[in-house]
Amino acid sequence: SDYRNLFIASDIDEYSQNVVASASYKYRNPLTSFFGNASLTYNYSRCSFMSNQLFIDDFIVSTYANRLSGSHFWNVSGGISKGLGHSRMVIGVEINASTSSASSMRDNIVEDYSQQTISVKPYFKGSLCKWLSVNYDANYGYSRLKIGEIDNDTHSFNQKLYTTIMPHDRWQFTLGAEHFLTKFPEGNVENLVLLDASAVWHVSSKVRLSLTANNLLDKRHYQYVTYGTLSRSEHSFQIRPRNILASIQYRF
């Protein structure tokens, strides 16, 4: 159903209190090229008012009720990295996780809600040898939202891989790939793969020839739909079609 939204705002900052505590740790060892860090944050908010949604015909009136409310938020993050091959290569991973819980009102009825998120980002970059270098990074994300008895979760994953090959000082070839994957509570999955390539020839110290090809698979469209408690969001991306560019550069 379609609704019209009416917001009755109020300055509730003067009725709110916040408590924040955090701790962090860092480890560095340049001799072994090993680095690590970790942090923990806790936030507690308390307010004399609670948000309240009133459903009146086709209106949603968002306002506040005179009721004590509180929210808890925890966040943990960290990462490690290790240099390899006399620091010509680096491999590592970054992790972030958070959880929050609070309460709100709908038609003057209190409902608890909570949300959890997790993000994992592994990566690798550097030169495997003199003529070959690789850059790879990925990102896995998980999000879960629970409102009363309604529970939804979403998984997302994307990764990028770029490889540069230099068989000769005058030649350079680059290959790139990107992969996007999203899985929704309804079970539907959106999947997209993009490929790029380029070649560069340094004819001389002044002349440079290049050939670049983007979107080799000629993907044109990427679309998916997400559903919230009272909303439906459409995400649509128009992708530039396959294109090839040749260029000549002359340095004076």
Side-chain angles (χ1 to χ4, degrees):
S1 301
D2 294 329
Y3 290 90
R4 296 181 180 181
N5 292 275
L6 178 64
F7 299 92
I8 302 178
S10 175
D11 186 8
I12 63 173
D13 291 339
E14 58 180 313
Y15 306 100
S16 303
Q17 299 86 36
N18 293 316
V19 176
V20 180
S22 62
S24 61
Y25 173 78
K26 292 183 179 181
Y27 176 82
R28 298 177 180 178
N29 191 333
L31 296 179
T32 60
S33 300
F34 182 81
F35 303 89
N37 67 86
S39 65
L40 172 66
T41 302
Y42 170 72
N43 189 329
Y44 173 70
S45 298
R46 179 178 175 179
C47 183
S48 302
F49 293 90
M50 181 179 293
S51 60
N52 188 14
Q53 285 186 321
L54 304 176
F55 295 83
I56 305 174
D57 296 328
D58 58 347
F59 280 88
I60 301 178
V61 181
S62 299
T63 182
Y64 294 94
N66 188 9
R67 185 186 182 97
L68 185 66
S69 64
S71 64
H72 300 268
F73 173 79
W74 290 89
N75 179 264
V76 179
S77 62
I80 58 174
S81 64
K82 179 70 170 67
L84 305 173
H86 302 287
S87 298
R88 291 187 297 107
M89 298 173 288
V90 177
I91 185 172
V93 61
E94 298 177 356
I95 301 176
N96 186 286
S98 66
T99 178
S100 60
S101 60
S103 299
S104 63
M105 302 180 69
R106 290 186 177 181
D107 285 331
N108 299 314
I109 299 175
V110 178
E111 284 192 346
D112 298 328
Y113 67 89
S114 62
Q115 183 174 21
Q116 292 82 38
T117 62
I118 299 175
S119 174
V120 182
K121 300 179 180 180
Y123 60 89
F124 172 85
K125 56 184 177 181
S127 300
L128 299 177
C129 56
K130 182 179 179 181
W131 54 271
L132 177 63
S133 64
V134 177
N135 191 340
Y136 172 82
D137 64 84
N139 184 2
Y140 166 75
Y142 170 78
S143 177
R144 175 178 179 266
L145 176 62
K146 183 177 182 181
I147 304 177
E149 299 299 325
I150 301 175
D151 195 349
N152 290 311
D153 59 357
T154 302
H155 299 263
S156 64
F157 178 73
N158 63 77
Q159 55 184 337
K160 300 177 183 179
L161 174 64
Y162 291 92
T163 302
T164 301
I165 303 172
M166 298 183 64
H168 190 274
D169 292 340
R170 294 181 178 272
W171 287 93
Q172 177 178 317
F173 301 94
T174 302
L175 302 175
E178 297 184 48
H179 177 217
F180 300 87
L181 179 67
T182 306
K183 181 179 180 181
F184 302 97
E186 298 81 10
N188 56 316
V189 176
E190 288 293 331
N191 195 16
L192 175 68
V193 176
L194 300 174
L195 296 179
D196 303 321
S198 67
V200 177
W201 177 27
H202 296 274
V203 181
S204 65
S205 59
K206 293 185 177 182
V207 180
R208 179 180 181 270
L209 304 180
S210 65
L211 182 65
T212 302
N214 293 323
N215 193 10
L216 289 172
L217 300 180
D218 200 25
K219 300 292 185 179
R220 301 294 185 92
H221 193 229
Y222 185 55
Q223 181 177 1
Y224 59 87
V225 178
T226 59
Y227 297 92
T229 306
L230 292 173
S231 64
R232 178 178 184 270
S233 301
E234 296 184 1
H235 306 261
S236 180
F237 303 89
Q238 297 295 334
I239 303 174
R240 185 178 180 181
R242 181 193 301 121
N243 61 90
I244 299 175
L245 175 65
S247 63
I248 302 176
Q249 293 178 318
Y250 182 81
R251 181 181 298 175
F252 294 94

